[in-house]
Amino acid sequence: MVIDGLEVSEGDSAPIDHVGILLERIAQGEQRAFARLYDMLSGRVFGLILRVLVDRSQSEEVLQEVFLEIWQSASRFAPNKGQGRSWVLTIAHRRAVDRVRASQASSDRDVRVGFRDLDVAHDSVAEQVELRVEGRKVAGALSTLPEAQREALTLAYYGGYSQSEIAALVGVPLGTIKTRMRDGLSRLRTEMGVTT
């Protein structure tokens, strides 16, 4: 089979990673491969970013950042560690989450300044202690879960990945991820003494 003038063999061993092939060509500075990758994935990448950010104009900015990063760092793609599409979507998700965190940090700073200016007494020490205690409880409860359940929940709640993305990253069927998350959440509730 030929992809953009590049002969690729179609063996029975593994499916062809078209995105991975394009990334390897982008790493060599091929602009045509970059344009093809953009045409192939920009809609999917934009949808992922928009789902995280909700704001369309910010999503468009992040989309540009993602493809700039792909152009600059395509040489870091390691085909032996995963599929090209997953690598691109991971970059997009990370960039979108970073933007959310930056926006949240800015908003938090504004709120803190507002509270400081109001000169309202606030027991931040007690709040920090409570958050740390709760965090330790969750971490302790997570550590009791089987590795597969812990991994799925950590990727979802700390990494911000969807169930479909987790299935792609871990390399298992979507139904398996759903089961792991459901069972893991059930065990966490029991472990933390949460009654429903």
Side-chain angles (χ1 to χ4, degrees), residues 51-175:
R51 215 172 59 230
V52 173
L53 293 177
V54 181
D55 182 87
R56 189 168 192 83
S57 64
Q58 280 198 42
S59 298
E60 290 169 353
E61 289 175 19
V62 172
L63 179 68
Q64 290 176 5
E65 293 171 9
V66 167
F67 278 93
L68 177 62
E69 182 175 344
I70 290 167
W71 175 255
Q72 292 173 337
S73 65
S75 62
R76 287 192 234 143
F77 168 66
N80 59 334
K81 292 186 178 177
Q83 296 285 311
R85 181 181 303 266
S86 296
W87 187 78
V88 169
L89 292 176
T90 299
I91 289 173
H93 187 266
R94 189 186 71 235
R95 284 277 183 166
V97 169
D98 287 349
R99 179 64 68 98
V100 168
R101 287 179 181 148
S103 295
Q104 185 61 48
S106 175
S107 175
D108 290 348
R109 275 192 303 276
D110 291 345
V111 169
R112 280 195 304 272
V113 167
F115 276 126
R116 186 190 67 214
D117 291 347
L118 286 174
D119 202 22
V120 175
H122 177 69
D123 190 357
S124 64
V125 173
E127 184 178 324
Q128 288 298 319
V129 168
E130 186 177 328
L131 286 172
R132 284 189 180 141
V133 168
E134 195 62 30
R136 286 187 188 123
K137 280 177 156 176
V138 171
L142 269 172
S143 69
T144 65
L145 297 179
E147 176 61 29
Q149 292 175 359
R150 183 172 52 247
E151 178 183 44
L153 290 175
T154 301
L155 285 170
Y157 293 100
Y158 292 109
Y161 292 97
S162 71
Q163 291 176 340
S164 299
E165 292 166 339
I166 294 168
L169 287 171
V170 176
V172 298
L174 177 60

Side-chain angles (χ1 to χ4, degrees), residues 181-191:
M181 290 182 69
R182 184 193 66 233
D183 293 349
L185 286 171
S186 177
R187 289 181 72 163
L188 270 180
R189 283 187 197 99
T190 302
E191 189 69 30

Side-chain angles (χ1 to χ4, degrees), residues 1-3 6-18 21:
M1 171 173 29
V2 178
I3 300 174
L6 178 67
E7 183 70 29
V8 179
S9 64
E10 291 188 65
D12 295 337
S13 59
I16 295 171
D17 182 6
H18 298 287
I21 292 168

